[in-house]
Amino acid sequence: MSSSFGEAVGLPAKRDSGALLAVSLVVIAVASALLAGWMPIVFSIATVFLFAGPHNWCEARYILGRLPARAGKLWGFFTLSFVGIVGLTAAFAYIPSYLQNTSEVLEADTLYGVWNSAFVIWIATLIWMRSRTNPRFDGGWVWPVAFLLLAGIWLHPFAFSIAIVYLHPLMALWLLDRELCRSHPDWRPTYHAGLLVVPLLLLVLFWRLHDAPSLPGDDPLSLAIQQHAGDWLLTSVSNHFLVAAHTFLETVHYGVWVILIPLIGYRSKPWELNTIPSARRGGAWRTGVLLLLLFGLLVVAVLWACFLMDYGTTRYIYFVVALLHVLAEIPFLLRMI
Amino acid sequence: MRYSFLAVLALFGWSLVPTAARADLAPPPPPAKEVKFVVELDEKAKGSKLIVPQTLVNPRFRPGPGAAPKAGKEGLAVLEYEVVDDAAVEPARNRNHLLMAGVAFTLALGLGGIWIVRRGGRSAARGLALLVAAGGVLAASTVVWANAGPPRKPEEKKEAILLPVTFDGKLTLEMVRGGDTIKLVLDQEAYDAIKKGPKKPEGK
């Protein structure tokens, strides 16, 4: 009954659409790599301004469409997910203000080590809980791997933080794969072939830029973008490459959330609530979902206005608060496996 | 099988870029490049100084907490405000971190072993063999110097050219935000010394 948004906007629903999806991904990736390599700082500013808010809204809309209407036996899993998402985000936001306090007791690397450890233990617990619900799998490997990661974290706490910065954009590609697994399994081989363009473009960026001169900007915003890409940690490569690579990955993940997933994963038009399980409960639930989505649109508009007023401060605050959506993707992805 | 083949292929691909992947060897010094250079005289200066725009050398520091320099420090050179904020200064490494890493690593190996043994069957034996092999490699890695530098090219013998010395003394090295020109600001004493003309080089 419910046709996908892709069909609604005229995409063919046959196997050809798999090729169309892969071509779209390649076009997004190539365009992103070209722009990110050519003018990384400007492109980073533009892409965050344009897509930071909308991609969060698209993600929230997609997650709402996939969450069950009732938690049922998964109550424990969802509770731990919620506590982790909110608690870890709040703690992450508090660390900078703690460090600015002159009476601080713990140094920065200890604090980030503790945060990273809590993050890994949270994920490991969720995977372990997930392994004990259908479809079940052997989750015994979770704890050895988690402790191996913890060892790495305590050897170099900041390396793990930078790894999250670079790995987070790839989660969108993984989620898209899981969505295809559900709705269009015959598209996956073509999609997987299209995915090869991402490492290839990263290699091209590295080949062209790894020894490029340092980026010229030395204003606070340019420095913040360079530091976000981890140039203070990865000192053996040009920060031109680092900012370009990070911006490239960010833009690809924006493209996946804003273009590709809405086209294939919404199962209806974004404003139609009939494919959102909790909205189908009717009454207050339907109104609540509608208000949540409208509030999301308001936040997107406010974010754009704040970017126009003070881009630097808004970007800083956004990337702290945006951790919420990074964390939210993890339990969601686990339920998709 | 297909994935194993792809993984081996990818590893082989990575092995083709050894010039870029330097493991933990220190990066080579950047090549020489031309930059703008001016010499200025500051009669009131208490000492000479060399001012270098940050972008020409790009020192990289761990960002301090917060989005921007604290109020009143916006005009400071990046080195000044980072040091004043005590954010760029790498703290002494906390020894407890190594302890934590060791405990976590031990738990990882222990729990990994338990998991493999509990699985049973042929895969358990294979996994146990892998674990023992990994342990062996780790033990061996404590005695091999995997990060020894590559063999050095024999250096060409160059005859040392002794140039006349115009000025010999100390100056302050200062890095600042903005600009694309290296400035040498001379105090009166250095300026007078330079005016006297170069000294003949002393042979060694």
Side-chain angles (χ1 to χ4, degrees), chain A residues 108 156 158 162 214 220 222-237 239 242, chain B residues 52-55 57-66 76-91 173-177:
Chain A
H156 208 314
F158 293 115
I162 296 296
S214 296
S222 299
L223 289 176
I225 291 171
Q226 291 162 24
Q227 287 168 352
H228 190 185
D231 77 335
W232 54 277
L233 184 74
L234 307 165
T235 51
S236 58
V237 283
N239 62 3
L242 294 172
Chain B
V52 183
Q54 182 223 342
T55 47
V57 287
N58 201 30
R60 298 174 184 179
F61 298 107
R62 178 155 58 80
L76 294 179
V78 64
L79 285 186
E80 288 173 297
Y81 100 73
E82 294 274 14
V83 171
V84 171
D85 277 353
D86 207 23
V89 181
E90 288 295 331
L173 177 64
E174 184 181 324
M175 293 190 195
V176 292
R177 285 184 182 180

Side-chain angles (χ1 to χ4, degrees), chain A residues 144-227:
Chain A
V145 171
F147 280 109
L148 204 58
L149 281 174
L150 287 181
I153 284 169
W154 285 104
L155 283 177
H156 208 314
F158 293 115
F160 188 80
S161 303
I162 296 296
I164 295 174
V165 168
Y166 281 89
L167 290 177
H168 158 64
L170 301 177
M171 279 189 64
L173 297 169
W174 194 358
L175 274 161
L176 178 56
D177 181 57
R178 301 318 300 166
E179 174 55 43
L180 290 177
C181 193
R182 263 182 190 208
S183 54
H184 303 283
D186 51 329
W187 294 7
R188 286 181 79 211
T190 322
Y191 171 65
H192 290 166
L195 275 181
L196 283 175
V197 79
V198 175
L200 277 176
L201 287 169
L202 277 173
L203 279 175
V204 170
L205 284 175
F206 183 80
W207 170 53
R208 299 289 300 166
L209 301 173
H210 74 277
D211 56 355
S214 296
L215 289 168
D218 54 5
D219 53 290
L221 179 58
S222 299
L223 289 176
I225 291 171
Q226 291 162 24
Q227 287 168 352

